[in-house]
Amino acid sequence: MFIVELTYPGTWLDYEDDEWSWEMRKLVQMLENPLTEACLALALFEQQRAKPRDKPDREQWEEDSNRRREIEKELEAELNVDPFDPEARQELYSSVERELKREKWESGELPKQYSHRLIFMHAKSFLFAVDRIEKILGAIAEKDGVPDEVVEAKDAFEDIFPDLRGVRNTVAHIEDRGRGLDHRKEDLDLKPVQNRLVNAPGGGALILESLNGNEFGSTMSDGHYGEVEISLENIVKVCECIQNVIDALEWRGPQMHYPR
């Protein structure tokens, strides 16, 4: 796992306005938690991405088939199932499938529907972590008296993730976007999309929480398809933006180093 580092030239901000210094220092250090979470999310995302895809396993298939027959015999005897009653046979089949799945779960095997969502969960963790960083940088840049370099760092961050807000809002408001509605709850005007997963040059494609390699994307409120790249390269750029904010401010006291 790659560990990003930040260096604080001092411990306290060195400005005449103590209240301004205290609030600014608090905001700057607030960036550490979402930066940590983004790094962890990236590591977990890459871990899932590196796992080989499930392939048909003949041996496992035969093992499951044999176990199904065993469970079926056990339940037939226990429930005294009429072999000529189709409804009873169907209920028996459903009970066998449930029992086989429960045995697998108890042994520690995740349902496929669960394991498939892990990579999406880590992608969204990354998305929300960098979204928090953007919001904090915005609050820092809005404070009176900040150096121009702070605003430049905030703008540089936004250049890294131009679709961040649009994709994040779709994830946060899936109940609307999933119904084809924009932020005003009006019908989306779906714009053209062409990538490795979708070819809709005439528009009309609604895409929600899609992974295209390491790009996590969704149709945004304006009808365009947006993506956020989950990558070490982007984490490094984010770290540089935060370091530039730190370096733009005046500090005093002993130097500090992140992570502690």
Side-chain angles (χ1 to χ4, degrees):
M1 176 179 173
F2 183 78
I3 308 295
V4 297
E5 301 180 41
L6 297 172
T7 300
Y8 293 83
T11 307
W12 304 280
L13 285 174
D14 191 16
Y15 293 90
E16 290 184 5
D17 188 333
D18 291 339
E19 184 177 348
W20 187 94
S21 296
W22 183 83
E23 289 180 357
M24 178 63 76
R25 179 175 179 271
K26 182 174 67 173
L27 281 170
V28 170
Q29 290 195 293
M30 274 184 191
L31 291 164
E32 292 182 4
N33 283 344
L35 177 60
T36 301
E37 290 163 10
C39 291
L40 291 169
L42 171 63
L44 293 168
F45 175 84
E46 292 294 354
Q47 187 181 79
Q48 286 297 316
R49 195 167 171 230
K51 287 185 176 181
R53 292 185 179 181
D54 292 334
K55 295 181 179 179
D57 186 329
R58 178 74 182 181
E59 185 178 338
Q60 184 63 56
W61 181 85
E62 290 178 352
E63 184 179 317
D64 288 348
S65 296
N66 292 334
R67 184 57 187 142
R68 279 191 183 90
R69 286 191 288 271
E70 293 171 0
I71 296 171
E72 184 175 356
K73 289 179 182 178
E74 293 168 5
L75 291 179
E76 270 184 321
E78 180 182 331
L79 302 175
N80 193 24
V81 177
D82 182 350
F84 300 104
D85 183 343
E87 290 187 6
R89 298 299 304 178
Q90 180 59 47
E91 179 59 33
L92 175 62
Y93 172 79
S94 297
S95 297
V96 169
E97 288 302 305
R98 281 195 297 270
E99 184 61 30
L100 178 63
K101 287 194 289 186
R102 287 168 181 165
E103 286 183 359
K104 287 176 172 287
W105 301 340
E106 287 173 5
S107 71
E109 182 177 321
L110 277 178
K112 293 287 190 294
Q113 201 167 357
Y114 278 42
S115 57
H116 176 68
R117 293 306 302 176
L118 280 171
I119 193 168
F120 290 90
M121 185 174 72
H122 300 319
K124 285 187 281 187
S125 293
F126 182 91
L127 174 76
F128 280 103
V130 294
D131 178 67
R132 288 175 66 196
I133 292 172
E134 181 182 52
K135 286 181 169 61
I136 297 169
L137 286 175
I140 292 171
E142 287 174 358
K143 286 191 71 66
D144 292 337
V146 295
D148 292 342
E149 292 85 352
V150 170
V151 178
E152 291 169 3
K154 186 266 295 183
D155 292 342
F157 179 92
E158 292 175 353
D159 289 341
I160 302 169
F161 303 108
D163 295 332
L164 174 59
R165 183 167 298 180
V167 174
R168 178 265 177 200
N169 286 344
T170 286
V171 172
H173 298 285
I174 194 71
E175 76 286 356
D176 288 333
R177 223 66 79 244
R179 293 179 292 164
L181 303 177
D182 63 16
H183 65 284
R184 299 181 299 272
K185 298 190 184 298
E186 297 176 357
D187 290 342
L188 284 168
D189 178 16
L190 296 170
K191 303 299 193 296
V193 184
Q194 287 183 289
N195 58 36
R196 288 183 295 173
L197 297 178
V198 180
N199 183 28
L206 177 64
I207 306 164
L208 300 175
E209 299 186 7
S210 168
L211 273 175
N212 182 10
N214 67 343
E215 301 270 3
F216 178 78
S218 281
T219 299
M220 301 182 292
S221 182
D222 65 359
H224 287 94
Y225 176 72
E227 290 183 323
V228 170
E229 181 183 305
I230 305 165
S231 68
L232 176 58
E233 180 183 1
N234 277 348
I235 283 286
V236 170
K237 290 178 182 177
V238 168
C239 192
E240 288 174 355
C241 291
I242 296 173
Q243 186 64 61
N244 288 340
V245 169
I246 294 170
D247 292 342
L249 300 169
E250 298 294 331
W251 297 83
R252 61 184 171 84
Q255 190 180 87
M256 296 190 301
H257 183 254
Y258 160 91
R260 284 176 284 281

